């Protein structure tokens, strides 16, 4: 019912910035929360941030607080992740996911690679 496409990844030096985009198509009217997750090689997938459809409610993992900002543009069916002061440990594949209920994330994109060099 929902398809997600991530973009904006790339290679950046430590201290630099990237802006990721997640664009949804399909039954976007049923979505409640959109989240970003990431997974590095040899590591478990971890939560990064999420935002409600209204944009009023948002949360962040402690590891990215103060550096990352999640926001949305509902007219474009897009959620963004602005990543500042990037660190090598931020290197991972970043995935967008959505949930219609807030209980579990049912739809996932294929990911966009972020590589931060020292």
């Amino acid at each position: 019912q929902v398809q997600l496409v991530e973009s904006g990844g790339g290679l950046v030096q430590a201290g630099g910035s990237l802006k990721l985009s997640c664009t949804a198509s399909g039954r976007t009217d049923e979505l409640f929360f959109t989240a970003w997750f990431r997974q590095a090689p040899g590591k478990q997938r971890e939560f990064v941030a999420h935002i409600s459809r209204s944009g009023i409610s948002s949360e962040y993992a402690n590891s990215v607080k103060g550096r990352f900002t999640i926001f949305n543009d509902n007219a474009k069916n897009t959620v963004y992740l602005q990543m500042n002061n990037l660190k090598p440990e931020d290197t991972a594949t970043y995935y967008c996911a959505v949930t219609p209920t807030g209980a579990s994330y049912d739809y996932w994109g294929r990911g966009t690679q972020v590589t931060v060099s020292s």
Side-chain angles (χ1 to χ4, degrees):
Q1 293 182 331
V2 178
Q3 297 79 45
L4 305 174
V5 179
E6 303 98 333
S7 63
L11 174 64
V12 65
Q13 291 185 327
S17 299
L18 286 172
K19 183 180 179 181
L20 306 184
S21 299
C22 171
T23 300
S25 61
R27 284 290 309 277
T28 59
D29 59 308
E30 73 179 8
L31 305 180
F32 187 23
F33 283 102
T34 301
W36 288 97
F37 292 81
R38 66 186 183 186
Q39 187 168 25
K43 302 290 186 179
Q44 292 186 337
R45 185 181 64 206
E46 64 176 336
F47 168 80
V48 176
H50 73 209
I51 189 169
S52 63
R53 185 173 181 84
S54 68
I56 295 176
S57 178
S58 61
E59 295 183 5
Y60 299 88
N62 288 334
S63 59
V64 306
K65 285 182 178 178
R67 300 189 297 120
F68 292 9
T69 302
I70 188 170
F71 59 100
N72 60 1
D73 183 343
N74 289 333
K76 296 181 178 180
N77 292 322
T78 299
V79 172
Y80 303 92
L81 185 68
Q82 178 66 51
M83 306 185 296
N84 297 325
N85 192 24
L86 284 162
K87 303 176 181 179
E89 51 263 45
D90 295 318
T91 295
T93 300
Y94 283 70
Y95 298 91
C96 178
V98 297
T99 175
T101 67
S104 63
Y105 288 92
D106 303 312
Y107 303 99
W108 295 79
R110 293 186 176 183
T112 185
Q113 179 66 38
V114 172
T115 302
V116 184
S117 65
S118 59

